[in-house]
Each structure stands twice: as C-alpha cells, then as structure tokens.
Amino acid sequence: GEDGVPAADWSRTQLSFEHESVVYRMSDTGNSGNTFAPVEYPDRRAATWYVSRTGHNDVSAEASAHKWGANELRVPRPGFWDILLEQLVAPFFVFQTFCCVLWLADEYWYYSLFTLAMLVVFESTVASQRLRNVDELMSLTPNGASLLVHRGGRWQRRFAKELVPGDVVSVCANGVNDAGEEEVVPADLVLVAGDATVTEAMLTGESTPQRKRAIEVSAGRERLMGDTIDMTIDKTATLFAGTRVLRAEHGSASGGGDGGVRVGRPPDKGCVCVVVRTGFGTAQGELVRTILHTGERVTADSRETYAFIAVLLAFAAVASTRVLLHGLADPARSRYKLFLNCVTILTSVIPPELPMELSIAVNTSLIALSKRRVFCTEPFRVVDAGRCDVCCFDKTGTLTEDELRYEGVATARDVAFTAALAPGDAEGAEGAEGAACDACPVLTTCPGDLSRDVAEAALVLASCHSLALVGGAAAGDPMERAGLAGCDWTLLPQDRSASGASSVARRTARVMTRHAFRSELRRMSAVVAVDGFDGSKRRVVAKGAPETMEATLRKLPAGYRRAHKALARRGYRVIALCAKAIP
C-alpha cells in the first residue's frame, strides 16, 4: 500500500521463489518487464513514518506475514544419509572404490572388502560430526520469547516469530526464558520512543555496551532509514536482532520521551520500537545465512595434492607401459590379467590408506575443536586452517582488556605556558614540530584542582557521554567511564550526574538533549542544565578529535596543535573538551 503495508489481496498476485534463504518475488518495475527481486523491507522510510506508526490490524498483519514470512531463522537440517551420500561421491572415495573393484577382480577379496568397509565407517563418522555441528548452529537461532505488540489499536502479547515488518512493539531488558536461555532482540527494530543500552557482542564481538536513543525527527529535513552505505540508517537508533538489551526506559531526560508516537506508553513501560526487518533479512539472519551458504564445498583436494599425484602418475605410466609392451610380446599371457596389472599399477599411485588417513585426521581435529566450543560446518577447511602462520584481528580489544586509564586534563593555561617555553612559532611551521612536540603540557590529575580551576572540563567529562546505569554501575565506552571516574563525578538515574567529595562545591548536571557520537563528524555534544555553577544555568558541552574540534572553537588557544600532537606522540588517546554557556 501507500504506507508500506501490503494490500490484502497482495498474495494472489505475486510469484516468488527462495534462493539461499532469500525470497525473490516478481516485480514489474524493471526496465525489461517482469523481473524477480528480493523482497524489500520498510527500512528506508522517513523518520516521521516510524514515529506515526500505530501497528497492523488483522488483515494487514496476515498479508505482511505472507509477504515477509515468519520471523524465524529456518536452518535446514540435512539428513545423515544426505550428508553421507555427498561425501561418498567425493573424487577420492570414488577412486578408492574403483580400486577396490579392481582388487576384487584380481581375487583380493578380504583386503578389498575390509578396505571398503573401513572407508564407509570413517566417512560416516565425519558425516555424524557435521550433523552435530549443524545442530549447534541451529541452537543460535532466536528463542521463542514473547513481547507486547500494538495491533488492532491495543497492546497484546505475541510470540517473537509472529512479528512482521511494520509492527509496533515494546522492548524491555532481556532476561532468561523458561529454558534457561538468554533472551535476545527478536528482529531489527527502530527505536521511536525511549532509551536503551544493549550489548552487540553476538554480532560484532564488541563487549562494550552501546547506548541507543530514539530516532530524531528533524523539522527542516526528512531522515531516511536503511542504506548503511549512504549513512541513511542511524545505528544509534537501531536495535539489531541477536543483541541483548541490558536496560530499557520509555522516557529519559535527554530527549527519549514519547517523541510524538501515537501508541502512547506501553503497559510494561518499555521502549517503543517499529519492526523493520525479520528472519534472514536481519543482521543476525545475514550472519547465519553467510555461514549456511558459503562458497563452493571444500574437499581435501588441493593443487599440491594434484601436483604430487601427477608426478607419481608419470612414473606409473612409464612402468605400466613397460609391463604392457612386455606382456603383449608373450602370446601365452592372459590379456585379462595383463589389463588388470596395468590398471593396478596406475591406481597404486594413490595409497589405499590416504582417504582413511585424511578422514581420521579431519575427524580428530573436529572433535578437538568442538571441545573448545568451535564448530566447523565445512570439515576439510581444517586442512586449510592448518597451513595458517598468522591470524589477524581487527581489534586488539578482542585479545586484550578494554580498560583505559585516566591520565589528566591539559588546560588552556597549561598549554599556553608550555607554548611560551618552546622557541619559535610551531603552530604553522612543520619544520619546528620536531623540537616543539617534545614539550608536553602539564596534566591536571587531581579532581579537586580540576573542579576549582577548570570546572567546565569536569562538566564535559561528567555529562558529554553515552554512559548508562546498568545494575547500579556505569556501562558504556571505557574512555568515558575512565573520564567520569577521573573527574570524581557520579552518574545518577535519568541522565543526571553529580560532583564528588573532591569538588569545591556541590554541582549537578542533567542532560536535556544529547547528540550522540557520529564517526563521520568525529564528535558528540549535549545541552545540559547545571546547578552549582556561576552564571547561566545551561551549557553546551562537546568533545571530539582535537583536529575536528579546532574548527568549532571561536578562539584557538596558544599552543593547541602543538600540545595535542605532543600528547599523541607520547601514546595518549587525546580528546578535546569544549563548553559554552547559553541563555
């Protein structure tokens, strides 16, 4: 329909098929007439579309369920005989079976039958291990949790698999279901009202909790949601399937209230979200689909193996030709036995134990990996893994701890004093940087001195962040947690913070509006209401990369560039803190 909801008779006019867990339906929008294209999700709508959603009625929900299917990751479980048959047609096994037939023709009955039986047994063990790995993969699919859904003008509890794109749902902090499994977000959701803290370790491997805020509706322009390449999806307002919600509030002091949503406050006081992607269309679904539908099947064959066999085959061909010529010269020799001998010489290039040895080695590796909770759906990829010398990771935090230590604050006065000691003007002279950058400014480490001399710096550290209280402790970015502890401020509920005992006066701050960190801007900012400060009761606080914040400063402090470069060369992670009083 016009609002992105399929018409009631939509199912009777569409042809579709499924390929690699993606549904393709016929569309007449192509230049060449009717074409099949993946089913589109409502993830590229204007922000006002999400905020104004009131959910489905029974008719539109049924049509949407037919269009997008059930919200589940249907991992196909192949049968044992299917997996075994796939392995029995592998080139090595077929070749070994052919060799056994030749030996049977040459009356090697016991050896041939025993070899063939052992081949089948070892291939069966590999097939059984692959089946167990598939079962482990199926255990990663979303659980059958239930949540509140706004349908037909009222809130009602539904199972997660019944969700369809366009549904309005209420999300609370995830717990543990009746089966003892941790509940996760069941679909990709856009947060339209409320505030949440989630952990995305399941998808990204990043253990740091992420704070999510409701989508913003700008008055001057419409923000689209969906295409990550064009930055039209705001990840800070998206709850991805497979992640865990640590904290959820319907409203917060930083702009996470109702936001104009038309469904009101849910009975469980959770965050109001709109479902945008379900099933294999979600972030978790794409991950599972990548595992299921990798490239071509990998076997034990390799170029090195073929090269080795080719060399042996050349010698075997010479020997077989010699035997053939010698046998043909003897008219009394059986031509049948001569043919068997020649073929046997050629087939003896591949040792009869090679396939069994490969199966034993791979199966032993799979068992050892499974004991460490590592599951492989492509057994012979273990052979490739054994040739790896170096493993590269994109984050050192995956291997080390993710804690940062607060070292102090370089105030504008300290920076200017250090600049006065350095000879020459190195602000714009590249040649003088070598000597000037060695002079680091003195860092103010005492929270009491910071509160007395530069109260605004402590205010920025205490209020310009995306931390949230989870279980009574601050959760979020390690650098922000270190800064909050270094300035001796305490995080309070409802986006409030207060100074500690080291402060010269009792000071508090409450976030009124927060503009979360954006990688393309390299900064974040917030508007806070303060108490205990001189002058105006409201401040604009901001922090970011020193190079970026330089353009936002009305007057650049003396020695600014020299100072942050010198600190960076010492190995510090440097950010610039800014504050401004507003009426």
Side-chain angles (χ1 to χ4, degrees), residues 26 49 115 141 178 194 201 279-280 335 379 402 412 482 488 517 537 541 579:
M26 180 175 288
W49 185 88
T115 302
T141 58
D178 297 337
F280 282 102
R335 298 297 186 263
D402 58 354
D488 193 25
F517 175 81
K537 296 299 181 182
V541 292

Side-chain angles (χ1 to χ4, degrees), residues 238-441:
T238 305
L239 304 182
F240 295 101
T243 59
R244 294 197 64 230
V245 179
L246 304 178
R247 180 194 62 88
E249 298 177 358
H250 179 72
S252 67
S254 59
D258 287 343
V261 295
R262 298 167 57 185
V263 296
R265 182 184 294 268
D268 58 0
K269 299 180 182 179
C271 299
V272 180
C273 304
V274 177
V275 180
V276 291
R277 291 186 289 259
T278 58
F280 282 102
T282 63
Q284 185 187 25
E286 292 181 0
L287 177 62
V288 175
R289 187 157 51 88
T290 301
I291 299 175
L292 288 177
H293 308 288
T294 51
E296 57 183 282
R297 292 287 176 177
V298 179
T299 65
D301 308 336
S302 64
R303 287 179 296 180
E304 292 84 357
T305 304
Y306 287 130
F308 176 70
I309 292 176
V311 174
L312 296 181
L313 186 61
F315 288 97
V318 174
S320 180
T321 303
R322 173 64 178 170
V323 172
L324 179 62
L325 294 177
H326 187 271
L328 292 176
D330 185 3
R333 189 167 182 177
S334 172
R335 298 297 186 263
Y336 173 71
K337 287 291 185 179
L338 179 61
F339 172 76
L340 284 180
N341 292 335
C342 293
V343 176
T344 302
I345 293 175
L346 294 175
T347 57
S348 62
V349 170
I350 300 179
E353 298 83 5
L354 181 59
M356 286 188 291
E357 291 172 351
L358 284 174
S359 298
I360 293 174
V362 171
N363 199 44
T364 303
S365 302
L366 293 178
I367 294 175
L369 290 174
S370 63
K371 291 180 180 179
R372 296 178 177 270
R373 305 291 296 173
V374 177
F375 305 100
C376 180
T377 58
E378 294 287 345
F380 284 104
R381 289 192 187 273
V382 175
V383 180
D384 295 332
R387 292 183 290 185
C388 293
D389 296 325
V390 179
C391 294
C392 300
F393 296 86
D394 61 341
K395 299 184 182 70
T396 55
T398 306
L399 304 176
T400 62
E401 61 182 12
D402 58 354
E403 296 296 326
L404 293 178
R405 185 174 67 251
Y406 170 80
E407 289 292 338
V409 175
T411 65
R413 184 173 55 187
D414 295 331
V415 170
F417 178 75
T418 305
L421 296 179
D425 182 12
E427 287 297 311
E430 297 292 335
E433 281 187 6
C437 283
D438 290 334
C440 280

Side-chain angles (χ1 to χ4, degrees), residues 427-507:
E427 287 297 311
E430 297 292 335
E433 281 187 6
C437 283
D438 290 334
C440 280
V442 177
L443 299 179
T444 302
T445 59
C446 177
D449 295 342
L450 191 66
S451 175
R452 181 186 65 252
D453 299 335
V454 195
E456 285 78 9
L459 175 64
V460 177
L461 291 173
S463 59
C464 188
H465 54 69
S466 298
L467 300 176
L469 278 178
V470 178
D477 186 84
M479 183 188 68
E480 295 179 338
R481 286 190 282 113
L484 182 67
C487 67
D488 193 25
W489 278 57
T490 304
L491 190 63
L492 302 176
Q494 296 295 321
D495 279 331
R496 294 181 297 115
S497 54
S499 60
S502 61
S503 178
V504 296
R506 174 69 174 178
R507 290 168 174 162

